[in-house]
Amino acid sequence: MKDLDLLTAITVFVLSVLVGIEVISKVPATLHTPLMSGSNSVHGIVVVGAMLIAAESHTWLGYALAFVAMVFGAMNVVGGYVVTDRMLEMFKTRPPTEKKPSGTQEKAEV
């Protein structure tokens, strides 16, 4: 029965990789950064999964892998929000620049 569970898990993994590649390859370059910055927040699930692994682990290897998963997941979450914030800054209106007073115009050379 365990072999069937492993085969099912591998099948789901392979199919999800193929679907992910197909979906990502159809995204135009102009939408790639906004899409990825928003979807990086999904890596919060990775952090939760790493916490569950750490809770169930009883070996130093399990703790080390959980720690590495938490670090990389947290970096990706923070990075996604930083990229999103930078993108939103690009679309904000800037205050108008100050113009020189009209009385101090330089003479035009003839």
Side-chain angles (χ1 to χ4, degrees):
M1 193 63 163
K2 292 280 185 179
D3 293 335
L4 185 58
D5 292 339
L6 179 62
L7 182 62
T8 303
I10 290 173
T11 303
V12 169
F13 177 72
V14 169
L15 288 175
S16 66
V17 167
L18 293 175
V19 168
I21 290 171
E22 186 66 26
V23 168
I24 294 299
S25 67
K26 302 291 183 204
V27 174
T30 55
L31 292 178
H32 189 266
T33 301
L35 177 67
M36 290 311 292
S37 67
S39 66
N40 277 342
S41 63
V42 173
H43 278 84
I45 296 170
V46 172
V47 175
V48 172
M51 289 179 191
L52 291 174
I53 290 171
E56 295 291 321
S57 179
H58 300 294
T59 64
W60 67 270
L61 181 62
Y63 291 133
L65 289 175
F67 177 75
V68 169
M70 279 190 257
V71 168
F72 284 144
M75 285 187 332
N76 212 350
V77 169
V78 171
Y81 284 120
V82 168
V83 169
T84 302
D85 187 53
R86 279 187 168 179
M87 267 187 335
L88 292 175
E89 285 291 323
M90 292 186 335
F91 294 105
K92 286 186 178 176
T93 57
R94 295 184 179 142
T97 58
E98 294 183 23
K99 294 182 180 179
K100 292 182 180 180
S102 59
T104 60
Q105 292 179 353
E106 297 180 18
K107 292 182 182 178
E109 294 183 25
V110 181

